[in-house]
Amino acid sequence: MEYLAACHVHSNWSYDGSWSLESLSENFRNRGCRVLMMTEHDRGFTAQRLRQYREACAQASSDDILLVPGIEYSDAANRVHVLVWGPVPFLGEALPTTEMLERVQSVSGVAVLAHPSRKDVWKSFDSKWAPRLLGIETWNRKYDGWAPSRTAPALLQETGALPFVGLDFHTSRQSFPLAMALEVDGAISEEKVVDCLRLRRCQPRAFGHSLTGRRIEFASHLLNLAESGRRVLASIRRNSMKSLRRRAPAKNS
């Protein structure tokens, strides 16, 4: 059976998240998502906090939506970020990426490279990562905006990794019709979702359509134009707000 999963989602268990697990559960359930692939930042987590977080995800789940706990690991430079799900104990903060991926693989976890365009991570991709990565984000709503990544396709072709889409959800600004379609047999559970990923029985969707084939190639050109326009308008708005703040008279003390 096919289930839609929203991936790369942060709650207020992350230092920069704002939504509770319960609010996320209700919001995404109303959007038609059956699975939430959570990815809290490693900063501030411990083994005990991860155990508590797993329990909180279970409590926020229901018959209508499943919250799958996960961690977004980052290196010491806060440059390379990797999304990790599965039976993985907390590995620690600021680990070297190669070491972290080896440890994830050793316990049968799954790992996805997040937003390769951020800080030009794609330029320093290490070939040692490839056999330990299930996927690479081909579209990250927070960093890529309204169009797919322009740097991910070459990495995907080079590595054979699966294309993933992620919201990188922190606030409602990252709401967008991106989801992973999962083929799961029988009743859904965290174990079956992770098995589905391991077996590569999943594919990225945007606006309800598969992110493969010529249709999305053609659409990407239009989406890139829309994203360029969005960034220009956002820059104009920011500069206008700065100008207004500079012109505003100082309040009497």
Side-chain angles (χ1 to χ4, degrees):
M1 187 171 181
E2 184 178 279
Y3 297 98
L4 290 181
C7 298
H8 199 160
V9 179
H10 295 270
S11 74
N12 55 12
W13 283 74
S14 286
Y15 68 89
D16 57 355
S18 58
W19 289 49
S20 68
L21 291 172
E22 291 75 17
S23 296
L24 288 168
S25 176
E26 179 180 1
N27 184 275
F28 279 90
R29 184 190 68 230
N30 291 337
R31 297 189 205 177
C33 285
R34 185 64 177 81
V35 180
L36 272 186
M37 305 292 291
M38 304 300 301
T39 49
E40 309 297 358
H41 290 295
D42 57 0
R43 188 192 303 181
F45 259 78
T46 62
Q48 179 181 4
R49 183 168 172 80
L50 179 56
R51 288 193 293 270
Q52 294 170 341
Y53 177 66
R54 284 187 166 277
E55 293 173 0
C57 283
Q59 291 174 3
S61 298
S62 68
D63 291 339
D64 299 318
I65 191 165
L66 173 70
L67 277 66
V68 177
I71 296 291
E72 180 175 0
Y73 287 97
S74 54
D75 61 4
N78 191 28
R79 187 161 178 257
V80 182
H81 288 208
V82 179
L83 315 175
V84 172
W85 298 284
V88 184
F90 184 65
L91 303 176
E93 296 182 38
L95 294 174
T97 302
T98 301
E99 175 189 339
M100 182 271 296
L101 288 172
E102 288 174 349
R103 292 171 66 180
V104 170
Q105 186 180 50
S106 71
V107 293
S108 300
V110 295
V112 172
L113 180 68
H115 37 61
S117 297
R118 177 183 176 271
K119 296 188 177 182
D120 288 336
V121 166
W122 65 278
K123 292 182 179 179
S124 55
F125 186 88
D126 191 329
S127 60
K128 295 178 183 177
W129 302 346
R132 298 176 175 89
L133 282 171
L134 170 73
I136 296 172
E137 277 190 332
T138 191
W139 194 342
N140 177 288
R141 169 61 186 90
K142 183 178 179 183
Y143 289 101
D144 297 323
W146 290 359
S149 168
R150 299 187 183 189
T151 62
L155 287 180
L156 290 167
Q157 185 173 9
E158 174 187 343
T159 62
L162 284 174
F164 263 69
V165 291
L167 296 173
D168 210 344
F169 187 96
H170 292 77
T171 72
S172 56
R173 288 195 300 274
Q174 283 88 48
S175 297
F176 207 68
L178 295 177
M180 293 297 294
L182 311 178
E183 285 292 334
V184 179
D185 295 328
I188 197 167
S189 66
E190 177 186 351
E191 292 75 16
K192 286 193 175 182
V193 167
V194 174
D195 283 343
C196 165
L197 298 179
R198 289 196 197 100
L199 294 170
R200 302 168 73 95
R201 297 177 60 183
C202 55
Q203 63 172 253
R205 297 273 178 85
F207 304 98
H209 297 284
S210 174
L211 268 177
T212 57
R214 293 192 175 184
R215 177 186 296 178
I216 192 61
E217 290 177 10
F218 173 74
S220 291
H221 295 298
L222 299 179
L223 291 167
N224 280 315
L225 288 173
E227 172 59 11
S228 297
R230 185 190 72 84
R231 290 178 184 254
V232 168
L233 291 174
S235 177
I236 292 172
R237 181 178 180 277
R238 285 194 300 270
N239 290 334
S240 297
M241 293 300 293
K242 288 179 183 178
S243 178
L244 288 173
R245 284 195 292 269
R246 286 195 297 267
R247 295 176 184 176
K251 293 182 179 180
N252 295 326
S253 56

